[in-house]
């Protein structure tokens, strides 16, 4: 009875072998990943196979066969040469099979081959760079989406906060919900969609590749020009003679003009200022306040709170400028008879220098780098002896790209690579509900080297076949 029930349920369905889930798909329906469907009893790929043209003058790739073919335009670099990507190619699962597309083409008289496949990456994640001084959360704090931990805060770099998201322990090592939420967040980030995250002990952040981050509901605009000390060095000459003292407030290194070496070389006299912080070298102070979303990435809103009582030779009328590392916050003060700073109107000459700080700041943006490891089973789709592919990548015989984008391949063992998702076509990533991301990966090398590698030479097709198939819009099954 049980067997008959199972058979009746499977009647009219086909089984997809594109990932370990092995969905049974009814006619007219898609599998769990929404990437494969049953079309009249045939398993078809729903996303189009993507071929690109090389980068144009603006540095961007353009869709293949997008535009009219005209006479030669003097392009001696042959930038029209098609780039075969793995987007929409399909996978090698169950991995003993050759890669879905192994495409040969002539390049300046040299026969090249590109092997493309959509890898199923359980071992993958995203490294996110967020250009802001705002405090997002303590180092190593969990990053959460819908209450589930999907990664953690990394060490901050110059002017940027860094997150490490995903990885096998979050995808498969925790609860089912943690894996699903992690996979969904990674998929949306890598496909350039906005994702709202919370950081334990820190902020709520909305991140989207190529867009300004939103921290606690406020959109960021500027990345700091440098630390407080660097800002002093850059703009000391522009302040010289216009103001007696400048303090550039920064969570990392707060700078003080009169004590700084730049001030000394400009003969700026001592002012009697006292900064409440840990003094480093002259004119440089650490920990003037706690991290936060206020001035210079600190938790202060009133910059005077980082100053102690003024000492000799402080005098009435001394002019003080306090400014943040982005120029977005500033205050101008003059000391009264009791050597207490009193806020005054900023002189127009100093306003120009404050604006110059902001002008030298780059826009605040979130950058998402996909990171994955190309494992042994994926490599088997390229060659019958997978370790040879790893060695050829290490020896720069084989070039690795991700959706046509340049990759950085990490040193050491394996093929562990990173790629900027903004360099790829939109919606380059998919998923399978194991859960894992599906990411495009391409290996390009000389055809002769591919043969020596032990590649699947019987599966090699010429690029003209692929181009003709795309142009005629032939439906492609597996």
């Amino acid at each position: 009875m049980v067997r008959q029930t199972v058979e009746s349920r499977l009647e009219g369905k086909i089984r997809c072998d594109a990932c370990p889930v092995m969905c049974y798909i009814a006619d007219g329906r898609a599998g769990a990943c929404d990437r494969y469907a049953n079309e009249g009893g045939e398993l078809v790929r729903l996303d189009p196979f993507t071929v690109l043209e090389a980068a144009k003058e603006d540095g961007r790739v353009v869709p293949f066969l997008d535009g009219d073919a005209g006479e030669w335009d003097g392009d001696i670099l042959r930038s029209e040469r098609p780039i075969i990507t793995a987007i929409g190619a399909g996978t090698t699962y169950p991995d003993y099979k050759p890669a879905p597309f192994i495409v040969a083409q002539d390049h300046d008289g040299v026969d090249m081959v590109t092997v493309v496949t959509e890898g199923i990456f359980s071992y993958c994640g995203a490294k996110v760079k967020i250009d802001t001084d705002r405090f997002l959360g303590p180092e190593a704090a969990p990053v959460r989406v819908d209450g589930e931990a999907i990664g953690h805060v990394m060490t901050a770099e110059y002017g940027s906060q860094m997150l490490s998201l995903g990885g096998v322990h979050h995808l498969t090592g925790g609860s089912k919900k943690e894996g699903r939420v992690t996979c969904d967040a990674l998929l949306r980030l890598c496909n350039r969609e906005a994702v709202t995250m919370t950081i334990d002990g820190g902020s709520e952040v909305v991140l989207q590749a190529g867009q300004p981050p939103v921290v606690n509901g406020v959109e960021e605009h500027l990345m700091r020009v440098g630390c407080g000390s660097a800002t002093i060095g850059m703009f000391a000459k522009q302040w010289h003679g216009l103001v007696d003292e400048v303090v550039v407030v920064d969570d990392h290194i707060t700078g003080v003009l009169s004590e700084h070496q730049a001030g000394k070389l400009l003969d700026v006299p001592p002012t009697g200022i006292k900064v409440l912080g840990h003094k480093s070298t002259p004119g440089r102070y650490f920990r003037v306040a706690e991290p936060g979303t206020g001035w210079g990435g600190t938790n202060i809103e009133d910059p005077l709170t980082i100053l102690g009582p003024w000492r000799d030779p402080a005098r009435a009328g001394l002019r003080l400028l306090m400014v943040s590392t982005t120029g977005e916050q500033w205050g101008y003060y003059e000391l009264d008879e009791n050597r207490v700073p009193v806020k005054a109107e900023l002189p127009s000459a100093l306003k120009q220098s404050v604006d110059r700080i902001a002008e030298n700041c780059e826009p605040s943006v979130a950058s998402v780098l996909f990171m994955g490891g190309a494992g042994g089973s994926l490599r088997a789709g390229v060659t019958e002896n997978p370790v040879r592919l790893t060695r050829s990548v290490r020896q720069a015989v084989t070039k690795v790209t991700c959706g046509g984008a340049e990759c950085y391949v990490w040193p050491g063992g394996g093929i562990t690579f990173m790629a900027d998702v903004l360099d790829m076509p939109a919606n380059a990533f998919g998923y399978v509900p194991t859960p894992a991301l599906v990411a495009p990966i391409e290996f390009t090398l000389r055809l002769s080297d591919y043969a020596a590698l032990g590649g699947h030479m019987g599966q090699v097709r010429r690029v003209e076949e692929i181009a003709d198939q795309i142009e005629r819009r032939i439906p492609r099954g597996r």
Side-chain angles (χ1 to χ4, degrees):
M1 177 66 69
V2 173
R3 183 175 180 180
Q4 289 177 347
T5 302
V6 171
E7 288 177 349
S8 66
R9 288 178 180 173
L10 299 183
E11 187 176 350
K13 296 182 180 181
I14 59 174
R15 192 167 195 181
C16 175
D17 64 351
C19 85
V21 175
M22 305 288 284
C23 292
Y24 286 97
I25 309 174
D27 189 17
R29 302 294 296 274
C33 67
D34 294 323
R35 298 166 59 242
Y36 291 92
N38 181 346
E39 188 176 285
E42 182 182 6
L43 188 65
V44 297
R45 184 73 163 83
L46 295 178
D47 296 333
F49 181 48
T50 302
V51 179
L52 305 172
E53 289 181 14
K56 297 297 184 184
E57 290 181 2
D58 62 1
R60 294 188 174 189
V61 294
V62 295
F64 181 58
L65 297 175
D66 181 36
D68 297 330
E71 295 182 359
W72 181 60
D73 61 0
D75 180 8
I76 62 174
L77 297 178
R78 295 183 61 197
S79 63
E80 83 286 351
R81 184 172 60 88
I83 298 173
I84 307 299
T85 80
I87 302 169
T91 69
T92 61
Y93 191 83
D95 296 328
Y96 63 83
K97 299 181 297 188
F101 286 88
I102 304 175
V103 183
Q105 61 179 313
D106 177 82
H107 180 53
D108 290 339
V110 179
D111 247 356
M112 305 293 291
V113 65
T114 300
V115 185
V116 304
T117 187
E118 288 182 300
I120 299 175
F121 289 90
S122 294
Y123 292 85
C124 75
K127 300 296 180 276
V128 183
K129 175 176 176 281
I130 307 161
D131 301 328
T132 179
D133 261 359
R134 303 288 182 254
F135 177 67
L136 302 184
E139 189 176 312
V143 177
R144 300 182 186 275
V145 172
D146 295 337
E148 298 292 328
I150 68 164
H152 63 273
V153 178
M154 293 198 297
T155 52
E157 305 302 341
Y158 201 83
S160 303
Q161 311 293 309
M162 311 289 286
L163 306 181
S164 179
L165 306 177
V168 68
H169 296 297
H170 290 294
L171 282 168
T172 64
S175 67
K176 288 185 178 180
K177 182 182 178 184
E178 179 182 347
R180 289 196 303 269
V181 170
T182 300
C183 185
D184 178 69
L186 287 177
L187 178 65
R188 287 187 286 145
L189 273 178
C190 291
N191 280 336
R192 311 182 201 171
E193 298 177 23
V195 178
T196 301
M197 308 173 188
T198 58
I199 299 173
D200 288 7
S203 307
E204 178 187 88
V205 189
V206 182
L207 300 177
Q208 184 175 4
Q211 299 298 319
V214 179
V215 182
N216 291 333
V218 179
E219 183 178 285
E220 295 296 296
H221 297 289
L222 298 178
M223 177 183 182
R224 70 177 184 174
V225 68
C227 69
S229 173
T231 307
I232 293 286
M234 284 186 278
F235 298 99
K237 284 187 177 180
Q238 299 184 38
W239 292 320
H240 189 224
L242 299 178
V243 66
D244 300 303
E245 186 66 277
V246 179
V247 178
V248 182
V249 182
D250 178 29
D251 173 43
H252 305 125
I253 306 173
T254 290
V256 179
L257 176 63
S258 65
E259 299 177 1
H260 197 277
Q261 185 65 10
K264 297 296 184 185
L265 292 175
L266 291 171
D267 295 323
V268 176
T271 61
I273 193 170
K274 179 178 176 59
V275 177
L276 304 176
H278 297 278
K279 188 171 184 178
S280 174
T281 54
R284 302 168 78 246
Y285 291 84
F286 301 153
R287 297 198 62 184
V288 299
E290 293 300 316
T293 57
W295 277 58
T298 70
N299 63 345
I300 64 172
E301 297 299 332
D302 179 2
L304 295 178
T305 58
I306 71 170
L307 301 183
W310 288 71
R311 303 159 296 187
D312 290 336
R315 55 177 172 76
L318 185 145
R319 300 163 297 173
L320 167 68
L321 172 66
M322 301 191 76
V323 64
S324 71
T325 48
T326 60
E328 293 174 295
Q329 298 98 359
W330 49 265
Y332 177 73
Y333 308 87
E334 295 180 359
L335 299 193
D336 64 12
E337 298 80 5
N338 298 315
R339 300 196 292 199
V340 174
V342 177
K343 195 162 190 177
E345 184 176 350
L346 182 71
S348 58
L350 283 179
K351 180 64 165 60
Q352 182 178 354
S353 71
V354 171
D355 292 340
R356 183 67 57 81
I357 294 175
E359 179 185 346
N360 277 268
C361 293
E362 294 183 86
S364 179
V365 70
S367 302
V368 178
L369 273 71
F370 171 75
M371 183 169 176
S377 58
L378 184 151
R379 291 176 294 165
V382 180
T383 171
E384 294 179 356
N385 194 351
V387 72
R388 290 187 178 181
L389 177 61
T390 305
R391 292 169 181 166
S392 71
V393 170
R394 192 69 53 220
Q395 295 164 359
V397 172
T398 298
K399 181 177 181 178
V400 182
T401 53
C402 182
E406 295 283 341
C407 291
Y408 172 75
V409 179
W410 284 66
I415 304 174
T416 304
F417 66 94
M418 293 193 306
D420 186 347
V421 302
L422 289 179
D423 291 340
M424 305 176 204
N427 298 314
F429 293 83
Y431 80 102
V432 292
T434 48
L437 279 197
V438 176
I441 186 167
E442 304 95 26
F443 301 96
T444 302
L445 65 163
R446 291 173 181 260
L447 187 60
S448 57
D449 289 331
Y450 185 60
L453 201 68
H456 303 291
M457 296 298 293
Q459 305 297 317
V460 175
R461 300 164 60 186
R462 300 300 305 183
V463 69
E464 293 80 12
E465 293 181 51
I466 306 297
D468 183 62
Q469 178 175 313
I470 295 173
E471 192 167 18
R472 289 186 288 117
R473 301 293 193 270
I474 297 176
R476 180 176 55 80
R478 295 182 72 248

